[in-house]
Amino acid sequence: MSRWHRSVDELAARRRQHECERAQDALSRVTSCFQQLVALVGSSADGSFLRDELDETRAVAHRICSGLSCRLLRSLSNSDFAPSGVQDRQVLERLWVLFLSALEHFLYDLRKACDLIGQFPLTEHSNRRSLVNTGCVDGVVGVAARVASVQLPWLTSEVEPSPDLTNHITGLETMMSEMQQRVPVAFWSVEATQPAWAEARGEPDDLVESLEDLMEVEVIAGSKKTACCGLGCVG
Amino acid sequence: MKAHFGPAQSGAYSLSRLTSKHKQAEKVVLEMQDPTTGVKLQPQRLVITTIPHAITGEDIVQICLFYSEARSFGSMLVALGYIYPIQDHKRLVVKPDASLYRFQTPYFWPTQQWPVEDTDYAIYLAKRNIRKKGILELHEQEQYNHLHKWMNHKWDFIVMQAKEQYRAAKERKKPDRVVFDCQERAYWVVHRPPFFSTHLLDVLLITYSGSSMIFTQQSIMRPRVKSSVSIGALVKYCATYKGHDPFLSKCLPSNPWLTDDVTYWALNMPNVEIPTKMRVERWTFSFGELLSDPRGRDDFRLFLKKEFSGENLAFWEGCEDLKWGTAATMKEKAEQIYKTFLARGAPRWINIDGKTMEITVKGLKHPHRYVLDAAQTHIYMLMKKVNNPEFSTFNSYLVPVSFPLPIHHPSDSQLEQNARNRRPSLSPIIIRQQEQEQKAKMAASAPVDITQLCRFTTPVPHLAVYSGMTDPPSANASPSLPFLAHTPACPSPISVALDSTSASERRAEASEGESEGNPEARASAGGNVSKSRMALSLRRLLKRGCTPSSMFASLSPKCNPAAGTSSRIQPISPDEPSQAPPRRIGNFFQIKVDIPPECRIYPIESEDEDEENRAVSRERVGTKEIICPWESLTPQNGTG
């Protein structure tokens, strides 16, 4: 009977672990989309649509973070009782460290966003004159769609009102410090699962275009006005 | 969580300069965006698409002259990262021709509030790695490997984030994607430049301000110690001193601050006759410990005198006096020291090497506080290396110490009583006077030439006025005052001449002083009878009905057995209390004025109360002190 209990526990633990891993992936996805959006704040592509998308993305990220932090805290606090063993604990600790790194990274972008929105308020039409002409014109529809494609079991179930930007920042900061205080995890004990340079070999199905290819300038023969072709600047 | 490595931070002042430059740059950049008065924009034509908002170098130069007088303002904008070159992206300069530039998006603007994170750089490198299939530039490869090592714990996150960012970027339309890639690349050229090991801006600032070069040079030359070495030293220090720290170990017999029982302080007075075991142990920690403890220094002085190397310590003390003394007498002091110790044929000539002597003599032409530093160091090292080891061996075998009393846990009523018995110690003015007198005596008892020095060590006149001394404390050949300890627990020893007795004999005499009933010790003292008298505790004095004035007289001078006096001190014999010279009484009678009437000096006070306790403790300490070196070194009872 106890063996059955144990296997049930193990299965539950594994399910939780998978859940956390998927949540981590989702968080990475949402935060990278957020970065694409924040990079447009203050530029000529800035607008109310962008600001709305920023808030939406932030809300999704907030839901992922709160759910993931709860689950991780629960797993790591309880793992003393679970007969899962050292391996599972190590995996959980790895997820813990990755989550905290992601949180820190996201906080960095959030702070930037806060400053930029403060610097470039779009309340009046005259503000638009000072938006920096960076060359971007696109709406970020594709990015927004990517955010919307994120699916997690608790995203729809555990719906709470998302905070505004400043509260979000302080909330995340408190969450981070709380987590670090409640569960002592040694960061240096976590190791990378893949060796260095591994990502260079991956993604065979992608059509990778380097920046040089994209920047290729049409060489008009005899024209002195054309700037040198992009292939000249290797990098 | 942040692993910061890489470019060193600029000095604080350069940071503030950076911020003001940034503010100015941002202001100008925003003004440049104005559609009517701003800079002219043109499209950049690429094969795949056309990207708007490019500006030529010439336009930049033109408009910068419009907004700011400096020709180099445009270059500054590019160097800081507000404008980036589209072609030749690694060279952050403005070429006043048709080469194209673009404005950097505010997200990538350099500001102090957003420090450049290594995590971001790692993600960027991983992204480039994915795109270029591992073909990175040399400096990028180095950075990658370095970051992989230092951020190994979050490397999985970094790779994951890089992949996600790469995929998110692909969701953008092609022109925007190109722009974003250019922007990101330009950002990292500014903040992780390929050619310089430090931040590019640091280099710019350093070249523009000469004083920071000095700062940098000084930082390079600063001596460094490996942390393993310094931590090892800390550990060793803690282990050595742990037992002596009153916070970390028990204070025997009890901590006076907690129980108001001042036995601990009494046993550790600077001039106590028998030092405690802990104290003597402390002297073995280092030579500096020995010298800084007055009791230890006294013993060392005695030892050196025996070894006929007393001039070393005397010279060292003279140098200390010069260093820390008043500026007015400095020149004369230096001269005296030279005459006594350094000159050819000097009475107490010290042995230093020729080079040091040369430097010292040369420096003495224009004496200052530290003119004798080189010689002092030499003598210090000599004492440390030669005399100190000999002294330690001698000390550990032959010198008796008082062993620690057991921990005393007083009852509540005892604590109350102790609290009621609290009395202030001697006024610092009195203590200073006593020190001066003692120095004078020491000077007086030493060979004649030393008396020259004592001119500067006797009390200054204003103190004499305060204390009402009728005549200056001259160098008495034989002051006839007993030296009594402050506590009856340590009955007064007798200071004896040094030249004729060995230290062990001296100890015998001292201990014999306590053991009045020990005929054996007394008999074996030998030597001058005048030296070996029975010591008197204050209580006995009082019992014989001494007058208050004589009581004070007997109390006032510190007991200093190791004062190096060669005088034959005549203790007040029981039946002659009035032997104290009148002028001395007058002296200390004046001192009485300083002491508030209700505050009596401790040893008298204790006479009234707790006589039982005192007797017991005195006995206990006393029995330990009856250690005759030729008998045994262990205490009679096993306490402590």
Side-chain angles (χ1 to χ4, degrees), chain A residues 27 33 35 37 44 48 80 88 104 152 158 171 213 229-230 235:
Chain A
L27 184 62
C33 294
Q35 189 200 35
L37 297 173
S44 43
S48 51
D80 308 304
D88 289 351
E104 197 186 8
L152 278 178
E158 300 163 14
D213 298 338
C229 77

Side-chain angles (χ1 to χ4, degrees), chain A residues 39 109 115 138 199 209 227 235, chain B residues 105 107 114 128 131 144 176:
Chain A
D109 276 342
D115 287 342
D138 186 30
E199 66 277 5
E209 287 172 314
Chain B
T105 183
Y107 177 76
W114 312 328
R128 273 181 68 77
R131 286 183 83 168
Y144 181 99
D176 288 345

Side-chain angles (χ1 to χ4, degrees), chain A residues 10 26 57 66 72 74 90 96 112 136 160 174 185 201 216:
Chain A
E10 279 174 19
T57 316
S66 25
L72 275 176
R74 221 181 302 149
Q90 274 183 350
W96 178 271
K112 264 193 181 174
C136 292
E160 39 178 79
T174 347
V185 171
R201 296 183 273 276
E216 205 178 311

Side-chain angles (χ1 to χ4, degrees), chain A:
Chain A
M1 201 58 170
S2 65
R3 202 143 44 112
W4 183 75
H5 273 146
R6 229 183 301 135
S7 58
V8 164
D9 281 339
E10 279 174 19
L11 280 173
R14 220 156 293 283
R15 186 172 52 80
R16 277 199 297 270
Q17 188 188 311
H18 283 305
E19 216 174 47
C20 289
E21 281 169 2
R22 280 193 5 250
Q24 184 71 35
D25 290 338
L27 184 62
S28 279
R29 183 179 301 192
V30 173
T31 50
S32 40
C33 294
F34 188 78
Q35 189 200 35
Q36 287 286 323
L37 297 173
V38 182
L40 290 175
V41 174
S43 73
S44 43
D46 201 353
S48 51
F49 178 71
L50 181 72
R51 303 283 169 102
D52 290 337
E53 272 311 310
L54 268 173
D55 284 333
E56 287 283 332
T57 316
R58 214 170 32 80
V60 173
H62 174 79
R63 291 208 288 274
I64 300 176
C65 285
S66 25
L68 185 49
S69 77
C70 283
R71 279 159 181 77
L72 275 176
L73 268 172
R74 221 181 302 149
S75 305
L76 273 171
S77 315
N78 291 342
S79 70
D80 308 304
F81 312 114
S84 33
V86 182
Q87 295 281 14
D88 289 351
R89 173 103 194 163
Q90 274 183 350
V91 170
L92 279 172
E93 284 185 356
R94 206 181 119 258
L95 285 171
W96 178 271
V97 168
L98 298 185
F99 176 58
L100 281 174
S101 316
L103 265 187
E104 197 186 8
H105 189 252
F106 185 46
L107 258 177
Y108 182 67
D109 276 342
L110 276 178
R111 289 192 189 108
K112 264 193 181 174
C114 193
D115 287 342
L116 286 173
I117 289 173
Q119 198 174 2
F120 295 97
L122 291 182
T123 46
E124 294 169 30
H125 193 70
S126 57
N127 297 134
R128 286 208 68 88
R129 248 188 289 154
S130 57
L131 290 177
V132 183
N133 293 301
T134 57
C136 292
V137 285
D138 186 30
V140 281
V141 178
V143 176
R146 195 167 169 80
V147 173
S149 69
V150 164
Q151 277 181 16
L152 278 178
W154 65 81
L155 274 184
T156 40
S157 56
E158 300 163 14
V159 177
E160 39 178 79
S162 68
D164 71 333
L165 190 49
T166 2
N167 289 345
H168 195 166
I169 292 174
T170 40
L172 278 186
E173 283 167 353
T174 347
M175 187 202 289
M176 268 187 77
S177 60
E178 205 190 291
M179 283 177 77
Q180 282 174 322
Q181 275 172 10
R182 281 173 65 176
V183 177
V185 171
F187 281 78
W188 51 88
S189 60
V190 173
E191 283 176 11
T193 52
Q194 41 190 311
W197 307 96
E199 66 277 5
R201 296 183 273 276
E203 321 225 353
D205 50 337
D206 260 342
L207 183 62
V208 177
E209 287 172 314
S210 70
L211 190 53
E212 295 72 44
D213 298 338
L214 293 172
M215 292 267 285
E216 205 178 311
V217 175
E218 198 173 87
V219 179
I220 302 169
S223 165
K224 294 189 191 75
K225 275 214 160 182
T226 319
C228 82
C229 77
L231 286 171
C233 47
V234 179

Side-chain angles (χ1 to χ4, degrees), chain B residues 264-321:
Chain B
Y264 176 74
W265 287 336
L267 291 175
N268 286 294
M269 298 285 286
N271 51 358
V272 77
E273 160 67 1
I274 309 274
T276 62
K277 176 167 168 280
M278 295 290 280
R279 198 170 182 175
V280 173
E281 187 185 298
R282 203 169 170 146
W283 300 342
T284 64
F285 289 167
S286 78
F287 185 52
E289 284 280 347
L290 177 66
L291 276 193
S292 53
D293 186 353
R295 187 70 185 75
R297 202 194 287 192
D298 288 342
D299 272 4
F300 189 62
R301 198 179 296 119
L302 287 178
F303 171 78
L304 284 182
K305 248 193 164 96
K306 256 201 67 222
E307 305 286 310
F308 301 103
S309 337
E311 66 273 6
N312 290 336
L313 186 58
F315 175 72
W316 185 86
E317 287 184 322
C319 292
E320 288 286 290
D321 191 30

Side-chain angles (χ1 to χ4, degrees), chain B residues 322 330-339 342 344 355-373:
Chain B
L322 181 69
M330 216 163 56
K331 199 158 169 298
E332 291 145 327
K333 277 189 200 163
E335 270 176 37
Q336 279 309 316
I337 293 177
Y338 174 75
K339 277 196 218 150
L342 297 169
R344 224 170 296 166
K355 188 138 193 293
T356 316
M357 181 68 90
E358 201 182 299
I359 297 169
T360 311
V361 172
K362 217 162 69 167
L364 276 169
K365 291 200 183 84
H366 305 281
H368 56 90
R369 210 171 276 278
Y370 303 105
V371 66
L372 296 170
D373 253 11

Side-chain angles (χ1 to χ4, degrees), chain B residues 481-483 494 530-531 533-536 569-573 579:
Chain B
L481 272 173
F483 283 92
I494 301 159
S530 59
K531 299 178 216 154
R533 288 299 173 94
M534 282 202 289
L536 297 169
I569 313 262
Q570 311 280 345
I572 296 178
S573 55
Q579 273 222 338

Side-chain angles (χ1 to χ4, degrees), chain B residues 512-586:
Chain B
E512 170 251 338
E514 284 87 61
S515 59
E516 327 168 58
N518 192 343
E520 180 186 36
R522 215 178 335 159
S524 55
N528 303 335
V529 176
S530 59
K531 299 178 216 154
S532 53
R533 288 299 173 94
M534 282 202 289
L536 297 169
S537 75
L538 189 54
R539 259 180 30 206
R540 259 172 287 136
L541 253 184
L542 293 173
K543 278 201 185 138
R544 319 257 175 195
C546 300
T547 62
S549 55
S550 65
M551 263 192 324
F552 276 103
S554 51
L555 275 176
S556 52
K558 299 190 303 198
C559 91
N560 188 8
T565 60
S566 58
S567 56
R568 278 78 170 119
I569 313 262
Q570 311 280 345
I572 296 178
S573 55
D575 41 326
E576 291 170 333
S578 52
Q579 273 222 338
R583 92 184 112 171
R584 281 296 176 179
I585 290 177

